[in-house]
């Protein structure tokens, strides 16, 4: 049996931008991507702590060390600069493997720094 479980999470990052005039996605500082074991174009869920919005999109690389967390395109309507978000990815795996799998969880500091 295959099940979907938490693979990676960035817990309580702060939105630095919301760019409505972009094709779509979430731009994310490459340092944060590496720390959370995210890759470019990976499907993610973004949960906005401030307003309760939840959306699915994908990641594009932001400038390394910039602290960038930017909602792009229509997703920009789901959050404002300064909102706190949780960025989540899931993985599908065998039920028995899932029992021992340990997700990566990142808790950014001020400025979305590690």
């Amino acid at each position: 049996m295959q099940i979907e479980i938490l693979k990676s999470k960035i817990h309580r990052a702060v939105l630095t931008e919301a760019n409505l005039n972009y094709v779509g996605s979430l731009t994310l500082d490459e340092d944060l991507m590496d720390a959370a074991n995210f890759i470019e174009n990976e499907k993610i869920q973004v949960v906005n702590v401030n307003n309760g919005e939840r959306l699915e999109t994908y990641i594009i690389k932001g400038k390394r060390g910039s602290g960038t967390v930017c909602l792009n395109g229509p997703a920009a309507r789901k959050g404002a600069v300064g909102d706190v978000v949780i960025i989540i990815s899931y993985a599908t795996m065998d039920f028995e493997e899932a029992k021992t799998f340990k997700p990566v969880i990142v808790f950014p500091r001020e400025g979305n720094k590690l």
Side-chain angles (χ1 to χ4, degrees):
M1 170 180 17
Q2 297 283 302
I3 65 169
E4 193 171 17
I5 67 166
L6 175 68
K7 176 185 118 344
S8 305
K9 175 170 80 165
I10 298 176
H11 190 77
R12 300 185 65 86
V14 176
L15 289 179
T16 59
E17 300 175 56
N19 184 352
L20 186 60
N21 297 310
Y22 191 83
V23 177
S25 68
L26 177 89
T27 304
L28 190 58
D29 177 329
E30 200 169 355
D31 284 342
L32 290 172
M33 288 176 61
D34 290 347
N37 198 27
F38 288 148
I39 61 170
E40 190 165 33
N41 299 312
E42 183 171 356
K43 180 180 175 181
I44 55 166
Q45 183 178 52
V46 180
V47 181
N48 188 321
V49 174
N50 292 72
N51 64 20
E53 292 283 353
R54 300 173 83 89
L55 66 108
E56 288 184 344
T57 190
Y58 61 94
I59 296 173
I60 61 172
K61 287 181 188 177
K63 182 179 176 187
R64 187 176 292 282
S66 65
T68 298
V69 179
C70 176
L71 290 173
N72 296 306
R77 298 261 189 223
K78 303 287 188 178
V81 172
D83 283 359
V84 175
V85 295
I86 301 168
I87 305 164
I88 306 164
S89 73
Y90 301 93
T92 302
M93 63 183 64
D94 178 76
F95 183 75
E96 292 303 318
E97 179 185 5
K99 288 180 180 180
T100 59
F101 180 81
K102 301 292 183 225
V104 175
I105 302 176
V106 175
F107 297 92
R109 297 180 183 188
E110 187 173 335
N112 295 324
K113 302 298 182 189
L114 298 173

